Amino acid sequence: MAAAIRKHSKVILSRAKFIEQNLRHFTVGQSLLGNTWFIYDKAKKKKDFIPVEHPIKIDKTPEAELQPIVIPDKIERSPTAILEALASTVRNDINQPMYSSIDDPYLYCNSDFLKKNNMAAKDSGRKTARMMMSMYPEYITQIWEEPLPEVWRDIVQGYVHKEPSEAALLERIAKRKVSDAIQVYEAVNPKSQLSQETIEKFLELLCVFNNQSPEIPSDVQQFIEPPSFIKDAPFPAVTWQKESLAEQVFRDLPVKTTAAYCYLIRGMATYFNKNGAMSLFREMRAANLTADVLTYNDLLSVASLDLETMEEVILEIETLLKDMAASNVKPNVQTFNSVLFSCNRVSRWSGCKKFALSVMSEMKALELEPTLATYLQMLKIFYDIKDKSPKTKNADLFLDILNNMESKEYQLTCENDLLFFRMAMRVITTHLPDAKIALRLHTIFKTGKNSDLVGHRQLQFTYYLDLISLIAQLEHTDVVMNLYQSVCPFIFYPTSDIYLMILENISLYNTFQYIPVIYTDIQRGNYFVDKNFALTFFKTLAQHKHEPTLQGQLCDIVQSLLAVWKLKQEKMHQLPAIDGDVIGEMIIIHLNNDDHVKACELFELYKHTRSLRKTSPSALSLSKLAKKLISVPDYNAAKNVMTTMLALDYEGIPDLVETCLDLLALPEEERMYLEGLARSAPSKTISESTSSSSESSSSDSDSD
């Protein structure tokens, strides 16, 4: 109302003035509609607001009255369209434990081997569930409204068509049951009962699987077990079954169609029977039949077999390509991939690299986008990873490939696509050891869903192994840890060698603040069971004295591992490799934190635990402990340390005795004991000593 008064508007009220009880009838939610106020006295009495200035004008022109109302057409969307839209706004962190164990850290996989076993167990559980669903479908289907998929029901129930017939044959062909389909085909008598189309489908089944029933693994099994890829050896063995049922079915066809020829030619070429495939292809061309592009691709992939010179290979490939052009068969990306695949077998021959570049130029002229398999063959031709010579190769071609791949997302087109990223990273580590190039490749790897094209578990593991190994040796710790935290430990489980490289990098760049970050993963991976690793780790921690907060965290790491060691003492299973050497480095870590009490406790633990006395703490650690105890002062503890040093035949005791006699007021008896201790000890000091103990002489980084 005040706003209306400031605007010189007229307000008409049913009462002359407000009283205090009427204030509760103001509706705040409706009081912000421009300059309009709705004031309520009672629920059934609504006050009027009459604007004076700037009245609302209503357009009453004929054009405005006749303007049609357009209702947009309904857009058909899937039932999950809203969920998909919401999911696209959420970024999924793939570096996390498996969903089944995400709330229980004790179930986390702490090695690549355990990850493999966990996934294999999950795959076995799925197979068992599918078998139970197929055996008892009447119970399982009560959970869902829709019936179970047919592929889940027919595991135990068998086939619908039992007797030999065309329907039975088609059923077995659809389910890729080669052996059962062969039995039905041989049982059908006469063969005239089968149509031409059915026989051609049966022929295609035989040619694709080489007359044998395939083992179709699950997706999980394909990931954890390396699948068999096409071998690109110079002279691969012919695996096609000669005079097989497929050739017999082809001969018995009433009409030899183009599809029948193509099926048999592709089968022979796939299983490296080049002579049979080319002979059948010439017979097909003599019958004025034109092969499809898939047949030409398979023939090009075996063009280099059984040839002795590069000129013969080029002539064979050009002959097939010219025949494609004469038949008006348009080549696709797989055509050029097959040519490069065939050239890869003879990549060490002179002229192969030049011909491969001409193939890429022709591909660009036809405006065909290369796939990952295309780049894979180029890398194999120009960068032979089997060549162990230390000579670094030219990186121009590799950089051109990265420039073409920048900011692009690729799809799976063939099985060789899964080998590209692994091959590219191996090329970098072998011939182009440059961290910048490796990081560029990894950026492309993270673009979109390109990371799904890394292949099976072993390819993924070796890709990250080479990447982090190279980055840890050449880049700053900040870059290394940024990469580490994005993939470790749930995507890639680092080996002990990788952690040793990271520790060396931390020591080089003095970035010890990352030690607490990696300790949890190291402890979860049980790497401390390795004696050399445990000693190197605590030597790194004991190198310098850090600021109080970080030094306190390092001491907490020591106490944490000691707690694990004490807990596993009874079980004696995966016991951390703590002995005298490691205890000595732990003592130095606590002394750097000015905590002589914990250091003394570690010394007493070493003295009273037989298993720890296999090796001895370094002379430097015991000398530092004795000096600290003298300065506290704690004479009895210092005398105990010096007595142990004498028993270990360590040097530097005379200097410690002299310091103790100068700073402490001791009884004559104790002074005489110390003087005798000094006379019995070696004369050299710690700084002059060349060795401290049999296994820990290299731990004195400060003296260096």
Side-chain angles (χ1 to χ4, degrees):
M1 186 175 67
I5 294 175
R6 286 196 298 270
K7 295 291 184 178
H8 305 289
S9 299
K10 183 182 296 183
V11 179
I12 300 176
L13 302 176
S14 61
R15 295 183 181 181
K17 65 177 182 178
F18 285 101
I19 58 178
E20 184 176 356
Q21 65 179 3
N22 288 337
L23 295 179
R24 64 185 179 183
H25 296 298
F26 282 77
T27 303
V28 179
Q30 296 180 345
S31 63
L32 302 179
L33 303 176
N35 292 328
T36 305
W37 278 52
F38 293 93
I39 305 173
Y40 291 82
D41 183 18
K42 292 183 179 180
K44 60 184 179 179
K45 289 186 177 181
K46 183 176 180 180
K47 307 318 186 262
D48 298 323
F49 167 71
I50 302 177
V52 176
E53 298 179 357
H54 308 294
I56 300 175
K57 296 181 180 181
I58 302 176
D59 189 3
K60 296 184 179 181
T61 59
E63 293 79 3
E65 294 179 356
L66 298 177
Q67 185 176 2
I69 299 175
V70 179
I71 300 176
D73 296 335
K74 180 181 178 181
I75 301 177
E76 296 294 336
R77 303 185 186 276
S78 65
T80 59
I82 297 178
L83 296 178
E84 292 173 357
L86 293 175
S88 64
T89 63
V90 180
R91 182 179 179 182
N92 182 27
D93 182 14
I94 59 176
N95 185 25
Q96 58 184 355
M98 295 183 179
Y99 181 77
S100 58
S101 61
I102 195 170
D103 295 327
D104 193 347
Y106 288 98
L107 297 179
Y108 289 174
C109 296
N110 51 28
S111 67
D112 187 68
F113 177 74
L114 292 179
K115 180 181 179 181
K116 173 185 175 181
N117 290 347
N118 193 336
M119 299 184 69
K122 181 183 294 185
D123 187 48
S124 299
R126 290 178 177 176
K127 292 179 181 178
T128 304
R130 289 181 58 179
M131 183 186 70
M132 297 300 294
M133 288 180 179
S134 62
M135 292 175 63
Y136 307 103
E138 64 275 7
Y139 300 108
I140 305 298
T141 52
Q142 295 179 4
I143 302 177
W144 300 281
E145 297 180 358
E146 300 179 357
L148 292 176
E150 182 180 357
V151 70
W152 287 18
R153 295 198 306 267
D154 62 8
I155 298 177
V156 177
Q157 294 177 354
Y159 299 106
V160 176
H161 302 280
K162 308 293 183 180
E163 299 298 327
S165 62
E166 183 174 3
L169 181 59
L170 290 174
E171 182 183 9
R172 285 149 182 80
I173 292 175
K175 295 180 179 181
R176 301 179 182 178
K177 303 297 183 179
V178 180
S179 300
D180 297 344
I182 292 175
Q183 293 178 1
V184 173
Y185 176 80
E186 293 177 346
V188 174
N189 191 18
K191 297 295 188 295
S192 58
Q193 296 181 8
L194 302 176
S195 63
Q196 173 82 13
E197 182 181 359
T198 301
I199 298 177
E200 289 182 358
K201 288 183 178 180
F202 178 62
L203 176 63
E204 181 184 12
L205 179 72
L206 296 177
C207 294
V208 169
F209 297 107
N210 197 13
N211 305 280
Q212 298 175 355
S213 295
E215 294 182 2
I216 304 177
S218 63
D219 295 338
V220 178
Q221 186 177 353
Q222 285 183 333
F223 177 74
I224 62 179
E225 295 293 342
S228 59
F229 289 96
I230 297 177
K231 305 299 182 183
D232 52 359
F235 306 102
V238 178
T239 56
W240 173 258
Q241 296 182 6
K242 295 183 179 180
E243 300 300 329
S244 60
L245 180 62
E247 298 180 14
Q248 178 183 345
V249 170
F250 177 78
R251 289 193 298 266
D252 294 342
L253 277 173
V255 179
K256 294 180 175 58
T257 61
T258 301
Y261 272 107
C262 290
Y263 293 152
L264 189 56
I265 292 173
R266 291 206 297 264
M268 291 181 174
T270 301
Y271 296 98
F272 306 112
N273 185 8
K274 176 188 174 183
N275 295 332
M278 294 301 298
S279 175
L280 195 63
F281 174 73
R282 287 189 287 268
E283 178 184 332
M284 178 182 181
R285 297 297 292 144
N288 293 325
L289 297 178
T290 302
D292 57 9
V293 65
L294 297 179
T295 305
Y296 279 108
N297 294 348
D298 288 341
L299 290 174
L300 288 169
S301 65
V302 296
S304 59
L305 295 178
D306 302 331
L307 298 178
E308 297 180 355
T309 62
M310 189 63 199
E311 290 74 14
E312 293 178 350
V313 174
I314 294 176
L315 179 62
E316 185 88 3
I317 293 175
E318 289 180 346
T319 301
L320 289 172
L321 293 176
K322 290 178 181 179
D323 191 80
M324 287 183 66
S327 303
N328 293 324
V329 178
K330 186 177 180 181
N332 56 17
V333 178
Q334 296 300 328
T335 304
F336 294 96
N337 289 349
S338 299
V339 173
L340 294 174
F341 181 80
S342 189
C343 291
N344 179 36
R345 293 195 183 94
V346 292
S347 59
R348 295 188 179 184
W349 294 1
S350 60
C352 179
K353 295 181 174 59
K354 183 178 179 180
F355 181 71
L357 291 176
S358 65
V359 171
M360 293 296 293
S361 300
E362 183 68 20
M363 196 173 177
K364 184 178 181 180
L366 294 176
E367 297 182 353
L368 294 176
E369 184 68 22
T371 63
L372 294 181
T374 310
Y375 294 132
L376 171 69
Q377 301 304 328
M378 292 298 291
L379 292 181
K380 287 185 175 182
I381 293 173
F382 283 85
Y383 303 96
D384 185 9
I385 60 175
K386 297 179 181 179
D387 184 9
K388 300 300 181 181
S389 60
K391 182 179 178 181
T392 303
K393 296 185 179 296
N394 193 346
D396 292 342
L397 176 66
F398 194 91
L399 294 177
D400 290 341
I401 291 176
L402 294 185
N403 292 334
N404 294 332
M405 296 178 64
E406 211 81 50
S407 303
K408 292 182 181 179
E409 183 176 357
Y410 291 88
Q411 303 294 330
L412 182 64
T413 59
C414 65
E415 60 183 10
N416 284 330
D417 288 342
L418 302 176
L419 301 175
F420 169 75
F421 286 107
R422 172 70 191 99
M423 177 67 183
M425 189 57 65
R426 178 53 61 89
V427 168
I428 293 174
T429 56
T430 305
H431 300 295
L432 313 170
D434 190 339
K436 304 300 181 184
I437 299 179
L439 290 174
R440 281 192 62 189
L441 176 65
H442 189 59
T443 302
I444 297 172
F445 177 77
K446 296 187 298 183
T447 301
K449 295 184 178 181
N450 290 342
S451 58
D452 295 341
L453 304 179
V454 71
H456 57 81
R457 180 185 57 87
Q458 290 185 5
L459 292 177
Q460 183 188 69
F461 179 82
T462 50
Y463 170 83
Y464 285 114
L465 182 67
D466 286 349
L467 173 63
I468 299 181
S469 298
L470 185 64
I471 301 303
Q473 298 178 63
L474 302 177
E475 285 293 331
H476 190 273
T477 316
D478 294 341
V479 179
V480 177
M481 293 307 299
N482 184 32
L483 175 62
Y484 173 88
Q485 292 177 324
S486 65
V487 299
C488 299
F490 299 113
I491 299 177
F492 169 70
Y493 296 95
T495 62
S496 58
D497 293 336
I498 293 294
Y499 278 119
L500 290 177
M501 291 181 184
I502 295 176
L503 290 173
E504 185 178 357
N505 185 285
I506 289 174
S507 178
L508 177 64
Y509 292 102
N510 195 22
T511 51
F512 289 88
Q513 67 272 14
Y514 290 114
I515 292 290
V517 177
I518 65 175
Y519 168 73
T520 303
D521 298 335
I522 294 175
Q523 172 58 31
R524 185 185 297 124
N526 294 323
Y527 292 109
F528 286 114
V529 298
D530 182 6
K531 164 63 188 305
N532 294 330
F533 180 85
L535 183 58
T536 304
F537 179 83
F538 286 103
K539 276 185 179 180
T540 305
L541 270 61
Q543 283 183 359
H544 306 290
K545 183 176 182 179
H546 308 283
E547 51 91 14
T549 303
L550 177 58
Q551 192 64 47
Q553 292 176 350
L554 300 185
C555 292
D556 292 340
I557 290 175
V558 172
Q559 295 301 319
S560 173
L561 188 63
L562 282 175
V564 173
W565 178 81
K566 294 177 182 178
L567 182 64
K568 293 185 177 181
Q569 273 289 94
E570 299 179 357
K571 301 179 181 179
M572 297 300 294
H573 177 64
Q574 294 183 336
L575 192 67
I578 297 179
D579 56 7
D581 287 337
V582 178
I583 290 293
E585 303 303 327
M586 291 179 173
I587 289 174
I588 296 178
I589 295 172
H590 280 293
L591 291 177
N592 289 339
N593 197 38
D594 296 328
D595 190 353
H596 67 281
V597 177
K598 294 292 185 181
C600 273
E601 291 178 359
L602 287 170
F603 176 74
E604 293 298 329
L605 179 65
Y606 162 74
K607 290 286 292 182
H608 295 92
T609 306
R610 183 175 180 179
S611 61
L612 298 179
R613 295 200 297 271
K614 296 178 181 179
T615 58
S616 304
S618 64
L620 177 64
S621 61
L622 296 182
S623 176
K624 284 188 173 184
L625 177 59
K627 289 180 181 179
K628 182 65 177 179
L629 294 174
I630 293 172
S631 63
V632 171
D634 189 346
Y635 169 70
N636 292 329
K639 183 177 70 171
N640 192 11
V641 173
M642 288 187 288
T643 304
T644 303
M645 292 179 64
L646 180 63
L648 297 174
D649 199 22
Y650 283 166
E651 299 157 348
I653 296 177
D655 293 340
L656 295 174
V657 170
E658 183 179 356
T659 303
C660 187
L661 293 176
D662 292 341
L663 297 181
L664 302 179
L666 300 175
E668 186 64 25
E669 182 180 356
E670 294 296 335
R671 298 177 70 87
M672 291 177 61
Y673 175 80
L674 291 179
E675 291 174 357
L677 198 66
R679 288 193 296 268
S680 303
S683 58
K684 292 183 180 180
T685 60
I686 292 296
S687 60
E688 297 172 346
S689 176
T690 58
S691 63
S692 57
S693 69
S694 59
E695 296 183 21
S696 58
S697 59
S698 61
S699 63
D700 187 4
S701 59
D702 291 344
S703 63
D704 292 341

